[in-house]
Amino acid sequence: MTVFVALLRAVNVGGTGKLPMADLRSMAEDIGLQAVATYIQSGNLVFTSDLEAEDVLCRLTEVLTAYFGKTPGVMLRTIPELETLCAQMPFPDAPPNRVLVNFLPEAAPSDALEAMVAPDGEEAVVLGREIVVRYPDGSGPSKLKFPALKPGTARNLNTVRKLLEMARERG
């Protein structure tokens, strides 16, 4: 049994659409996922499954596509992946609500940082399938331009740590 964290792109914040978390939990259970829980309203799902990651991703994508009428972005991570990410976290002195982890469907391109335009002093570090960005003044007022982030979904460091905690409770 593997514990997974699924991070949905642009749910309840624009883009993909509205999805009550009770509906998300129900959909996950309907496709055979177990010990299902959600965290906040932005499409964070923690669960266990005997399925391989690709099968889980396929099932989630299918059920969410049927719900939204378009294919959503779903980033899937395991406990070891999140533990490694948290252990490598840059910007140790930054407030965790000003550090956003951008989860990508695949590894960031090697030249991802070259296209970044950070007029407000934002800093970024590529960590494989994640790009971590520090926003000195918060992400809301930021004018950051960073094309490599487009296919992904972002969570602040507080949320990432909470999701890891929830995942560990199931593992």
Side-chain angles (χ1 to χ4, degrees):
M1 187 80 58
T2 303
V3 180
F4 292 99
V5 174
L7 305 122
L8 282 56
R9 184 176 185 278
V11 169
N12 296 335
V13 293
T16 300
K18 299 290 182 192
L19 174 60
M21 294 299 98
D23 290 355
L24 178 57
R25 287 189 298 274
S26 179
M27 282 186 250
E29 290 168 352
D30 289 348
I31 62 170
L33 307 181
Q34 302 163 336
V36 175
T38 55
Y39 179 66
I40 62 178
Q41 298 297 312
S42 57
N44 302 300
L45 185 66
V46 181
F47 56 90
T48 62
S49 179
D50 288 326
L51 298 170
E52 295 295 320
E54 284 301 317
D55 293 330
V56 169
L57 189 58
C58 183
R59 287 185 185 195
L60 275 173
T61 300
E62 284 177 7
V63 73
L64 291 166
T65 299
Y67 181 88
F68 290 119
K70 59 183 172 182
T71 303
V74 179
M75 311 319 140
L76 197 62
R77 301 296 189 267
T78 62
I79 290 174
E81 290 171 325
L82 290 176
E83 287 175 336
T84 299
L85 172 65
C86 287
Q88 296 175 343
M89 194 59 53
F91 318 118
D93 298 326
N97 65 330
R98 295 202 175 179
V99 175
L100 265 62
V101 178
N102 296 270
F103 294 89
L104 304 173
E106 55 191 39
S110 59
D111 63 349
L113 295 176
E114 293 172 21
M116 183 175 95
V117 177
D120 300 316
E122 298 88 350
E123 300 175 87
V125 174
V126 175
L127 298 173
R129 292 190 301 161
E130 288 81 31
I131 299 176
V132 182
V133 180
R134 183 188 70 81
Y135 292 86
D137 300 318
S139 62
S142 174
K143 303 290 189 248
L144 178 69
K145 303 265 189 276
F146 201 169
L149 303 181
K150 187 171 175 66
T153 187
R155 302 296 187 272
N156 74 38
L157 187 52
N158 287 325
T159 298
V160 172
R161 289 174 175 160
K162 179 62 178 179
L163 291 169
L164 176 56
E165 176 187 319
M166 290 173 66
R168 285 177 173 155
E169 289 169 359
R170 281 154 182 76

